[in-house]
Structures are given as structure tokens and as C-alpha cells.
Amino acid sequence: METNEILANAGNISLNQAAPSDHSKLCEIWPKVKEGLQLLSAVIKNPVVKAVISTVIAAGDAVTKQLCG
């Protein structure tokens, strides 16, 4: 699944039952985690690893959009 597909289907990402009640820490740290992943991606040459990092970022954006508003 490509990053655009992940973001377009953000509402369809299933979360475990604890996620809605225990999401404040994720909402708080996601911007810094995303920044770190972007920096990591910038220094890595391997296109497969870069694609995986992109997918993790897209999933994180989608989940935090769903949980954090």
C-alpha cells in the first residue's frame, strides 16, 4: 500500500481497544518522532528502507489524525 493510499484510508485503520483512551502520549510525541524519521530517511540511501520509513510516517500521520483530531 502506498503512502497516499494509507492517508486516504486513515479512517479504516483499526486500532486496539486501548488506543482511544491512551493516545495522549502518542499525540504529544508524534511530531518529534515524525521529524526524526524524516531525518533518518534523508541520510539513508537504500530505497527499500526509505519506502518503509515513508510508510511508517504515513501510518503515523493517519493514526494521529484519527486519534488526535
Side-chain angles (χ1 to χ4, degrees):
M1 185 175 265
E2 296 201 19
T3 57
N4 290 338
E5 290 177 277
I6 293 170
L7 294 172
N9 292 295
N12 295 329
I13 295 175
S14 58
L15 305 173
N16 74 40
Q17 291 178 335
S21 63
D22 191 22
H23 65 277
S24 61
K25 184 68 174 177
L26 177 62
C27 296
E28 178 185 329
I29 67 169
W30 176 247
K32 285 292 184 188
V33 171
K34 180 179 176 178
E35 181 181 352
L37 289 169
Q38 289 169 329
L39 290 170
L40 180 63
S41 182
V43 299
I44 290 176
K45 288 184 179 183
N46 186 308
V48 173
V49 176
K50 288 174 101 54
V52 169
I53 293 170
S54 248
T55 301
V56 171
I57 290 171
D61 283 346
V63 169
T64 54
K65 181 178 179 182
Q66 188 175 344
L67 289 177
C68 308

